[in-house]
Amino acid sequence: MTYSNKVSKIVYGGDYNPEQWSEDIWEEDMRMFKLAHIDIVTLNVFSWASLQPDENTYDFTKLDKIMDLVRENGLKVCLATSTGAHPAWMAKKYPDILRTEINGLKRKFGGRHNSCPNSPAYHKYSVRLAEKLADRYKSYDNIVAWHISNEFGGECYCENCERAFRVWLKDKYKTIEELNRVWNTAFWGHTFYDWDEIVLPNLLSEHFAPERTMFQGISLDYKRFNSDSMLNCFQEEYDTIKKITPDIPITTNLMGFYPVLDYQKWANHMDFASWDSYPSNGDSMAKMAMSHDLIRGIKKGEPFVLMEQTPSVTNWQPYNALKRPGVMRLWSYQAVAHGADAIMFFQMRRSIGACEKFHGAVIDHAGHENTRVFRELEALGAELEKIGNMTLGAKTDAKAALVFDWDNWWAVQLSAGPSCELQYYEEVLAYYTALHSNHIPVDIIGTENDLSGYQIVIAPVLYMTKGNYDEKIRQFVKEGGTFVTTFLSGITEEHDLVITGGYPGPLRDIMGIWVEETDALPKGSENTFSYKGIKYPAKLLCDIMHLEGARALSSYETEFYAGTPVIVKNEFGKGSSYYIGTSSNGEFYEEFIKDICMEKGVRPVCVTPKEVEATERKNESGTYLFYLNHGEKENKVVLEKDYQDILTDTFYHKNEELSLKARDVMILKEAADA
Amino acid sequence: MTYSNKVSKIVYGGDYNPEQWSEDIWEEDMRMFKLAHIDIVTLNVFSWASLQPDENTYDFTKLDKIMDLVRENGLKVCLATSTGAHPAWMAKKYPDILRTEINGLKRKFGGRHNSCPNSPAYHKYSVRLAEKLADRYKSYDNIVAWHISNEFGGECYCENCERAFRVWLKDKYKTIEELNRVWNTAFWGHTFYDWDEIVLPNLLSEHFAPERTMFQGISLDYKRFNSDSMLNCFQEEYDTIKKITPDIPITTNLMGFYPVLDYQKWANHMDFASWDSYPSNGDSMAKMAMSHDLIRGIKKGEPFVLMEQTPSVTNWQPYNALKRPGVMRLWSYQAVAHGADAIMFFQMRRSIGACEKFHGAVIDHAGHENTRVFRELEALGAELEKIGNMTLGAKTDAKAALVFDWDNWWAVQLSAGPSCELQYYEEVLAYYTALHSNHIPVDIIGTENDLSGYQIVIAPVLYMTKGNYDEKIRQFVKEGGTFVTTFLSGITEEHDLVITGGYPGPLRDIMGIWVEETDALPKGSENTFSYKGIKYPAKLLCDIMHLEGARALSSYETEFYAGTPVIVKNEFGKGSSYYIGTSSNGEFYEEFIKDICMEKGVRPVCVTPKEVEATERKNESGTYLFYLNHGEKENKVVLEKDYQDILTDTFYHKNEELSLKARDVMILKEAADA
Amino acid sequence: MTYSNKVSKIVYGGDYNPEQWSEDIWEEDMRMFKLAHIDIVTLNVFSWASLQPDENTYDFTKLDKIMDLVRENGLKVCLATSTGAHPAWMAKKYPDILRTEINGLKRKFGGRHNSCPNSPAYHKYSVRLAEKLADRYKSYDNIVAWHISNEFGGECYCENCERAFRVWLKDKYKTIEELNRVWNTAFWGHTFYDWDEIVLPNLLSEHFAPERTMFQGISLDYKRFNSDSMLNCFQEEYDTIKKITPDIPITTNLMGFYPVLDYQKWANHMDFASWDSYPSNGDSMAKMAMSHDLIRGIKKGEPFVLMEQTPSVTNWQPYNALKRPGVMRLWSYQAVAHGADAIMFFQMRRSIGACEKFHGAVIDHAGHENTRVFRELEALGAELEKIGNMTLGAKTDAKAALVFDWDNWWAVQLSAGPSCELQYYEEVLAYYTALHSNHIPVDIIGTENDLSGYQIVIAPVLYMTKGNYDEKIRQFVKEGGTFVTTFLSGITEEHDLVITGGYPGPLRDIMGIWVEETDALPKGSENTFSYKGIKYPAKLLCDIMHLEGARALSSYETEFYAGTPVIVKNEFGKGSSYYIGTSSNGEFYEEFIKDICMEKGVRPVCVTPKEVEATERKNESGTYLFYLNHGEKENKVVLEKDYQDILTDTFYHKNEELSLKARDVMILKEAADA
């Protein structure tokens, strides 16, 4: 089943802001939407100021017209609650709605992401608006989903947040003694005697740079608190709407690997996941794929909605190159290949003023259909109609899992030492890229996920081992799983307090080693090690370890710790664990992942040239193989089974060699008896 | 006629601050001024605190003495009003005079450029001081000009400015509905219902960096407002003084291409233009020349005053290299060659404390005349005496005009996308440099200027076409002119709202093209095109266009738009237009400009080696040819007419070859029958 | 005599924070301290919040236990007063204790270095705590020193500081007229009529960047005032403690070349000097040595305490590489070689939470003695026991002095021009490095020091010549000394007012030159000169000078001042002076220093390979030669006398060649009849 029972194909459309235009334009929009096979629009994203001109007045006249217009034109609606940016009059009348920056300065009205998540005014009026919208439009059966606020994000350091932080802490730690313990306040004499002595950790208190803190525990809790505060805003709107329209699923548009909000926690409160995909210039196909897999992962494999992407160009990058011909289609299908059941864009019509006027749109400033971009959109729309309901609800069957955990991300980024170059995300990406290059389907999981369905679990830089996560790993390996972790793992528990007695702390028995020291390599310098006869670099950090049951697969080749182990394997219970004591390059990871997958019998989707991505999705109607040629040249693939191309209806036989043009895509349905 | 009827030669002098010295030094100053042929001093630039020790007391004793001293010594005076820096006591008593920074923080007393332009206290006391000065010194017939304040500049974001901004907006837009329209506030739900809801666009509201905004329209209006606020300060002093001394011209010292103030608007309120020239290390001769031409241009070709330059060295650059021997003279004459009728310096005597103590001066810390710098100053002074009134009031006869427009500058710099490297000034400089290399006299004009006198008008990156500026261009071309514009032109109207229907908007018929997309090239990458058999780079942005009547002169050579036009020419009415769809290098611009000038019969002043600048000025007494050898080696020029050297009285004949030593200058008067 | 009469060997230990741990760990600590020959701990550095839980309660229970524990275990104590970080409750109750940043923002509770030095609450409670501590523990005869606060530093710009600044100024200048004179307020019309008009120079007033000011005089006085304010905090605690325990010496831990505090002035108020040595990655042996010599120098050659260093690794550098095997021992002995009589560490046991959990410690997170680091610590502890009292109190006999002056440092760094690359510290380091390479013992002295004991005095960039310092130099040279100074010297007097009449001002007669101009070289460019037939670069600044009695030893080779002198020597009285008109490279300085030392008969300690440092200390028991091999390879030295190795008791003969392994150290006692 897909995210909504009202969709019977991959919906196609995006953010539509007719309120920026005079009504004579609206009919032209409808005409062009039909040309492009658009069947869904997201409405009402930024209309709060329009819907509520003052404290007591609500005016839905224009929205009514728009809702009727799109219903009459057969369009489905993703209805936003407009609470992503508050009205100017509200900021003036209730300044508590304005955020305070990390530097301690109170903001004025402007921009978006601008409401304090602990503002009483925001809570009151955002919930009231959501209620009015749900009540007014509950009878529109073309609403397929609610879209709460927009791209929740940012932080606030105001007095209301400070008070709420103290409440949050008291709920969590109960006593001030426990708070002092988990924050290790004996260090630098920070002992608190009363909750009211606690201040938010910002540039006026514990931080000496936005991400550099003197008390990791305080800053880590602030990040959790801030994520929870925003989640609370979401939840209040959710509950209000759910009461009125219990059958319409509710979401909010996420932003991939967004460091501010713990999406794994959020996902538990959302009916389905949706996100906005804006890769930066030069992002690899694996990097883009990892974001899709994250979003699929946070809802345990359920299909997701690609809520926003640009049809052509962004405006906010330093250099906003055009998406080359074919790229919009390729990246759209990449989302589908990784679990998307909807392809949507920001935006339907390009605005004429303010900061996004140079952001691409379905309908450009030229205003007509005779553009390269529109022609590509039209062609994709036709294809999606052809595909119909075939791929809807299809799942990815992964035997490998990659652990990504927000608490770990925060803790590693906040850490003072050992190296300024350590980036949790980059280390996870390195392993993801190796899995992707090997065409191994992978789930991106958090620490709450069950591991029993996997053959291989990889947890790079598992710096923080929360609660009994070590025990979950221990059972997984004992029962036959393969577990991989790396340098700087098992260091702290959930409050970022070091687990003493020898690194990697609670993982020590599983890994069969003791890490005595960690050497941070100066900028530009590298150590080396050899694996299966080939020399690879050891970069960033080098754990210096002693074997306690494990076996060394490779050793450092230079420095005073030359000859000591860098890659080790430990047999543990029925399974085995690998500890990679340093950071290396893509060639090494690709080779290493290939070996452990082969060892466990975890098979690739299929074998293809480097530039061709391959994924598989399965549902009741069949199994679908996606070939995506990310290259700028033609590439050939050889089929491993009999297939039918669902875009062309062509049948192909096993061992047949097919040609994919530059940036071309093929979706092949496995023949019933294949 | 020159800027003042009281000058009968190029005056020579500069900022003189005897109030920093004991009176025994003053006589020594007079002695040295005479040695150096100094005949003018700018007085009273920073004396407010001295003239007004408290709210009710004014004390002109010292200024009286100074005024008498310089009059007795035959010096002319440029009398400043001292309002460029307010007294400390005033900041303490009337904090509204202090500015608020773009980050929202209120300043304390310190520095200069420090008064809020909308401060009631500043208005009251600055005007009162101007009035007292005018009244007291009106009888001094050696005052040749008033110098209001000093280097107006900077911005303020205080509450008084916020209130004044609302008034300014209401005056301009009349209704809140119109304001919402021109700012496109439907975007992101920014609708304003009351003028009081509007806040200044700064780092606490719409800006995420000093020059990066979320609402271009708001920020653009703030820039206009701020420029107008300061102009209002100028105007109030102007009006007050004018009533008392109607015959003394009034100016304020400008700063060349200074982004904060719209000098083209300001110039309409000034009796004559004057400016402070401080090129940075490594500035090209063309870059320096362009600033002089700008200042000449804002007063429609009238002579200007070089109010400040350093005799030897600056103190505020990262590396303050000495002006090499001959450079002070060379650059002084370059100003004259471009329209200056005065050569003045900051400063006459080098101060001993605070931040400008390492800034060069006519009289150095050594305190005597036996320095290299003083000897060069002395020699130049003698030359200026020799020149006498010959060049006074002479004009430049330009058939080419280059459009530079502050609104465009602001709008382009504030734009979010398409490329962070786009710099309006740099694009204009590229075309100026090509004109300069070809020795084509050029006027730098704004959008208010009449075009009818020109053969060629070049408007690089005419991103914003205000009001009916397109119609002015249309008429110009129809009547036979040659118009050149570039990529990213015709995009928005005066509120930075996009003109829909196809770029370049209102210029589309004139240029004969439709620009469908614009590709921003990633850092370091280039496309190419060929012009007359030579390959040139296409950089920064590449417009992808369709011909609608125009003819392609060159096409892109790579990328998916290879083969599409990059340089096009359109015959339109009796004239023609050129659209340059990308940014290229100096070699291309030089060649291209040469060709269009030749086509229109626009002739260079003369032909010289690369390093020798040549300009011409004409007045009733004759036509003067300036040769300026900016090279560090000797260069030879061949005369195209008969001339007399006005510095040496030597006569030269047509076709004669003359030698210019490194950094040497020649001023040749055209023989009467030449 | 060494710093305390209670020590009879080089004490060995460091910062110990048992309050961060449960009491069961304490006994284990004692066991491990014994293993490592630890005999001293610094206690109570960050316990204020623990000792004083509220305004009226003091609780010494835990400290009593700790004091008893360490006394029972035979450990000496360096007892800190805990005033380096105030309690959270105090910040809440008395916000005046919180600092205001240079940007004008008031801080909240957090971090350390966090108390305003002019806060009434801080003064009251810090002194009261010091008094209670002194009174409570006065009978503990194992206290060898008091350690006031911790690493005094930072700045405050609050209203209390502003008021105190006015008082400080009034004390210093008496009249507002004198203040206006020394700050040259006539410049930019800054005249003050009342003390209350003065504001602190920060980013809201005179500064446009943290170290860039518009009024050097104001900013310079602020730096002096801030240093004095903190010194006053120190002094108040000092006086209070001294009354109670007159026999226990008092110190505070300094930080080497720390720009914020004038340690030369501070040292006059401290019983002995101590400091925390944290070299950055890649610091040269000379750079580290210079810091030790500074600390020895501020107490006129008395032995000092190395209060902190890391046993293994830091956490706050961008890349925290491990100290390689042997480095901890090498650098510890380097401190001793330069005058240390104590070797102490931060920290004894590695903390588990907050920002220093990755900072190395004697007892690591592993918690036991079986680590590389502990083994090295143990070995060094044994050696120090072996050395016993031999080197205690030994002095360095230097005939060369290098002038380093905080006022000069501040003035040069605050200067606007002539070059952004000018760094006072770096210029002094260049000369120090040359002395060090030549193994010339050197004292680093301030301007208060007597010069009569020296043969050579070098004062690089003596930009500011305070009071009659020129006369001190004049006498020194007249009586036969060799004086060296450089470009940009003799420019200003103590208020940073230029001394007019010709540079180098009051040094002009001594140097026998007049410097007419100074050329700042653009980034990356160099002039050259030749010295003894070899060409060297002239960098940064080039003084252009005229000889007035001096003799040119070398001239510039390019630019318009080619052929003018760059290195000159002047015979003056019985001595001579050298003026080095530019900045050059290490090769030149090494050669030049060798020559002037040879000329004056100032002999190196001995001759060794490049990588081997050699120093000498002498006391009543004998003369000790330190060989420190900083190389990563073995190096050989040849003895110039008979010696006994005090670590091995081996006897060596003159001319014997000894081998020093990589990073090895030898301490040789001169044979009695050598």
Side-chain angles (χ1 to χ4, degrees), chain B residues 46 49 53 89 107-112 315 318-322 324-325 352-355 357-358 365 370-372, chain C residues 162 184 188-190 193 203-206 214 216 415 417-418 420-421 463 496 498 501 503 516-517 519-521 559:
Chain B
F46 288 111
W89 67 259
R107 293 192 61 79
K108 302 170 84 172
F109 176 73
R112 54 182 182 122
N315 72 287
Y319 304 85
N320 296 283
L322 299 171
R324 270 40 199 159
I352 62 165
C355 66
K357 66 179 178 292
F358 288 128
H365 286 149
N370 302 310
T371 67
R372 173 185 72 89
Chain C
E162 193 157 272
N184 196 36
W188 285 3
H190 268 43
Y193 290 99
L203 291 170
L204 299 179
S205 55
E206 299 295 1
M214 291 182 274
Q216 278 65 28
S415 174
C420 65
E421 287 190 16
Y463 167 82
D496 201 38
V498 169
Y503 316 131
E516 183 180 340
E517 295 183 89
D519 194 29
L521 302 188
E559 284 302 330

Side-chain angles (χ1 to χ4, degrees), chain C residues 168-461:
Chain C
W168 184 92
L169 289 168
K170 203 166 176 181
D171 280 355
K172 181 169 181 181
Y173 296 119
K174 311 305 180 208
T175 69
I176 199 81
E177 289 73 25
E178 176 65 0
L179 179 96
N180 281 316
R181 184 188 72 78
V182 302
W183 284 357
N184 196 36
T185 58
F187 178 78
W188 285 3
H190 268 43
T191 310
F192 296 101
Y193 290 99
D194 191 279
W195 300 95
D196 284 351
E197 291 162 21
I198 299 164
V199 298
L200 292 173
N202 67 5
L203 291 170
L204 299 179
S205 55
E206 299 295 1
H207 281 242
F208 51 97
E211 292 295 304
R212 312 309 302 160
T213 180
M214 291 182 274
F215 269 78
Q216 278 65 28
I218 303 179
S219 298
L220 178 62
D221 269 339
Y222 171 76
K223 285 183 178 287
R224 289 163 170 157
F225 157 75
N226 181 64
S227 177
D228 283 358
S229 294
M230 297 214 182
L231 177 53
N232 188 35
C233 294
F234 171 84
Q235 190 66 45
E236 286 188 3
E237 289 196 44
Y238 180 101
D239 292 343
T240 304
I241 293 169
K242 208 67 185 178
K243 270 186 218 143
I244 302 169
T245 61
D247 297 334
I248 303 178
I250 302 175
T251 193
T252 185
N253 50 338
L254 308 179
M255 294 180 283
F257 285 91
Y258 178 64
V260 179
L261 304 179
D262 181 348
Y263 285 163
Q264 286 162 336
K265 185 168 185 182
W266 277 59
N268 297 330
H269 302 256
M270 295 162 63
D271 289 339
F272 68 93
S274 67
W275 84 291
D276 302 345
S277 176
Y278 294 103
S280 292
N281 286 335
D283 278 1
S284 70
M285 60 175 165
K287 187 169 180 175
M288 295 188 288
M290 183 162 84
S291 292
H292 291 303
D293 284 356
L294 173 78
I295 300 298
R296 189 187 72 234
I298 60 173
K299 287 302 288 183
K300 313 281 185 288
E302 291 300 320
F304 61 88
V305 165
L306 180 63
M307 188 65 86
E308 293 183 21
Q309 64 171 333
T310 180
S312 55
V313 73
T314 55
N315 71 288
W316 47 265
Q317 299 198 57
Y319 304 86
N320 296 282
L322 300 170
K323 275 189 180 174
R324 270 39 199 160
V327 168
M328 182 277 298
R329 173 175 178 262
L330 174 70
W331 291 2
S332 295
Y333 280 125
Q334 189 187 29
V336 176
H338 284 271
D341 274 3
I343 297 298
M344 295 166 71
F345 300 98
F346 180 84
Q347 49 192 332
M348 301 313 289
R349 187 179 271 275
R350 203 162 175 169
S351 60
I352 62 165
C355 67
E356 289 183 345
K357 66 180 178 292
F358 288 127
H359 189 105
V362 169
I363 303 174
D364 213 332
H365 286 150
H368 55 66
E369 62 266 38
N370 302 310
T371 67
R372 172 185 73 90
V373 170
F374 194 86
R375 282 187 293 272
E376 293 192 31
L377 289 162
E378 208 175 338
L380 177 59
E383 285 186 355
L384 296 179
E385 279 194 0
K386 165 88 175 128
I387 294 171
N389 70 348
M390 274 191 275
T391 61
L392 285 195
K395 300 286 185 68
T396 299
D397 182 21
K399 292 299 171 203
L402 191 57
V403 178
F404 189 93
D405 173 50
W406 257 261
D407 284 311
N408 246 293
W409 197 3
W410 290 331
V412 170
Q413 296 321 117
L414 290 171
S415 174
S419 172
C420 65
E421 287 190 16
L422 174 60
Q423 299 287 339
Y424 178 69
Y425 171 81
E426 294 298 330
E427 297 304 318
V428 177
L429 175 59
Y431 282 87
Y432 182 89
T433 301
L435 289 158
H436 187 267
S437 300
N438 280 293
H439 306 302
I440 307 293
V442 57
D443 285 345
I444 297 190
I445 62 173
T447 57
E448 297 298 318
N449 291 60
D450 182 26
L451 304 180
S452 61
Y454 298 109
Q455 298 288 321
I456 296 174
V457 171
I458 305 174
V461 193

Side-chain angles (χ1 to χ4, degrees), chain A residues 464-476:
Chain A
M464 174 181 281
T465 49
K466 299 183 290 188
N468 63 348
Y469 194 56
D470 61 301
E471 186 52 27
K472 194 181 270 191
I473 297 167
R474 194 172 284 107
Q475 287 310 313
F476 170 73

Side-chain angles (χ1 to χ4, degrees), chain B residues 140-153:
Chain B
Y140 283 67
D141 63 0
N142 60 333
I143 300 178
V144 300
W146 286 99
H147 173 300
I148 291 179
S149 189
N150 183 61
E151 293 185 344
F152 275 100

Side-chain angles (χ1 to χ4, degrees), chain B residues 146-408:
Chain B
W146 286 99
H147 173 300
I148 291 179
S149 189
N150 183 61
E151 293 185 344
F152 275 100
E155 297 176 334
C156 179
Y157 294 88
C158 76
E159 294 185 2
N160 282 321
C161 284
E162 194 157 270
R163 277 188 287 269
F165 186 44
R166 292 168 187 155
V167 171
W168 184 94
L169 290 169
K170 204 167 175 181
D171 280 354
K172 181 169 184 183
Y173 296 119
K174 311 306 182 204
T175 67
I176 199 84
E177 289 73 25
E178 177 64 1
L179 178 96
N180 281 316
R181 185 188 72 79
V182 302
W183 284 358
N184 196 36
T185 58
F187 178 78
W188 286 2
H190 267 44
T191 310
F192 296 102
Y193 290 99
D194 192 280
W195 301 95
D196 283 353
E197 291 161 23
I198 299 163
V199 299
L200 292 173
N202 69 3
L203 291 170
L204 299 179
S205 54
E206 299 295 1
H207 281 242
F208 50 97
E211 292 294 305
R212 313 307 302 160
T213 180
M214 291 183 273
F215 269 77
Q216 277 67 27
I218 303 179
S219 298
L220 179 62
D221 270 339
Y222 171 75
K223 284 184 177 289
R224 290 163 170 157
F225 157 76
N226 182 63
S227 176
D228 284 357
S229 294
M230 298 213 181
L231 177 54
N232 188 36
C233 294
F234 171 83
Q235 191 66 44
E236 285 189 3
E237 288 195 45
Y238 180 100
D239 293 343
T240 303
I241 292 169
K242 207 67 185 179
K243 269 186 221 142
I244 302 170
T245 61
D247 297 333
I248 303 178
I250 303 175
T251 194
T252 185
N253 49 340
L254 307 179
M255 294 179 283
F257 285 91
Y258 178 64
V260 178
L261 304 179
D262 181 348
Y263 284 162
Q264 287 162 337
K265 186 169 185 182
W266 276 60
N268 297 330
H269 301 256
M270 296 163 61
D271 290 339
F272 68 93
S274 66
W275 84 291
D276 302 346
S277 175
Y278 293 103
S280 292
N281 285 335
D283 277 1
S284 69
M285 59 176 164
K287 186 169 181 175
M288 295 187 290
M290 183 161 85
S291 292
H292 291 303
D293 284 356
L294 173 78
I295 300 299
R296 190 187 72 235
I298 61 174
K299 287 303 283 185
K300 313 282 186 285
E302 292 299 321
F304 60 88
V305 165
L306 180 63
M307 189 65 87
E308 294 184 17
Q309 63 171 336
T310 179
S312 56
V313 74
T314 55
N315 72 287
W316 47 265
Q317 298 197 59
Y319 304 85
N320 296 283
L322 299 171
K323 276 190 181 174
R324 270 40 199 159
V327 168
M328 183 276 299
R329 174 175 178 263
L330 174 70
W331 292 1
S332 295
Y333 279 125
Q334 189 188 29
V336 175
H338 285 270
D341 274 2
I343 298 298
M344 296 166 69
F345 299 97
F346 180 85
Q347 52 193 332
M348 301 313 289
R349 187 178 270 276
R350 203 162 176 167
S351 59
I352 62 165
C355 66
E356 289 183 344
K357 66 179 178 292
F358 288 128
H359 189 104
V362 169
I363 304 174
D364 212 332
H365 286 149
H368 55 66
E369 62 266 37
N370 302 310
T371 67
R372 173 185 72 89
V373 170
F374 194 86
R375 281 187 295 271
E376 293 192 30
L377 289 163
E378 209 174 337
L380 176 59
E383 286 186 353
L384 296 180
E385 280 194 359
K386 165 88 175 128
I387 295 171
N389 71 348
M390 275 192 273
T391 61
L392 284 196
K395 301 286 184 68
T396 300
D397 182 20
K399 293 298 172 203
L402 190 57
V403 178
F404 189 92
D405 173 52
W406 257 261
D407 283 310
N408 246 295

Side-chain angles (χ1 to χ4, degrees), chain A residues 190-406:
Chain A
H190 268 44
T191 310
F192 296 102
Y193 290 99
D194 190 280
W195 300 94
D196 284 352
E197 290 161 22
I198 299 163
V199 298
L200 291 173
N202 67 6
L203 291 169
L204 299 179
S205 53
E206 299 295 0
H207 281 242
F208 51 98
E211 293 293 304
R212 313 308 302 159
T213 180
M214 292 183 272
F215 270 78
Q216 278 66 27
I218 303 179
S219 299
L220 178 62
D221 270 339
Y222 170 77
K223 284 184 177 290
R224 289 163 169 159
F225 157 76
N226 182 63
S227 177
D228 284 358
S229 295
M230 297 216 181
L231 178 53
N232 190 36
C233 295
F234 172 84
Q235 190 67 45
E236 286 188 2
E237 287 196 45
Y238 181 101
D239 292 344
T240 303
I241 293 170
K242 208 67 185 177
K243 270 186 218 142
I244 302 169
T245 61
D247 296 332
I248 303 178
I250 302 174
T251 192
T252 184
N253 50 340
L254 308 179
M255 294 179 282
F257 286 91
Y258 178 64
V260 178
L261 304 179
D262 181 349
Y263 284 162
Q264 287 162 336
K265 186 169 185 182
W266 277 59
N268 296 331
H269 300 257
M270 295 162 62
D271 289 340
F272 68 92
S274 67
W275 83 292
D276 302 345
S277 174
Y278 292 103
S280 293
N281 285 336
D283 278 1
S284 70
M285 59 176 166
K287 187 169 179 174
M288 294 187 289
M290 183 161 86
S291 292
H292 292 304
D293 284 355
L294 173 77
I295 300 298
R296 190 186 72 236
I298 60 174
K299 288 302 287 185
K300 312 282 186 286
E302 290 299 321
F304 60 88
V305 165
L306 180 63
M307 188 66 87
E308 293 183 20
Q309 63 171 335
T310 180
S312 55
V313 73
T314 55
N315 71 288
W316 47 264
Q317 299 197 57
Y319 305 86
N320 296 282
L322 300 170
K323 277 189 180 175
R324 270 41 198 158
V327 167
M328 182 276 299
R329 174 174 178 262
L330 174 70
W331 291 2
S332 295
Y333 279 125
Q334 189 187 30
V336 176
H338 285 270
D341 274 2
I343 298 297
M344 295 166 71
F345 299 99
F346 180 84
Q347 51 193 332
M348 301 313 288
R349 188 178 270 277
R350 204 161 174 169
S351 60
I352 61 165
C355 67
E356 288 182 346
K357 66 178 178 294
F358 288 128
H359 189 105
V362 170
I363 303 174
D364 212 331
H365 286 150
H368 55 64
E369 61 266 36
N370 302 309
T371 66
R372 173 185 73 89
V373 169
F374 194 86
R375 282 187 294 272
E376 294 192 31
L377 289 163
E378 209 173 337
L380 177 59
E383 286 185 354
L384 296 179
E385 278 194 0
K386 165 88 176 129
I387 294 171
N389 70 348
M390 274 192 275
T391 60
L392 286 195
K395 302 285 185 68
T396 300
D397 182 21
K399 293 297 171 204
L402 191 57
V403 178
F404 189 92
D405 173 51
W406 256 262

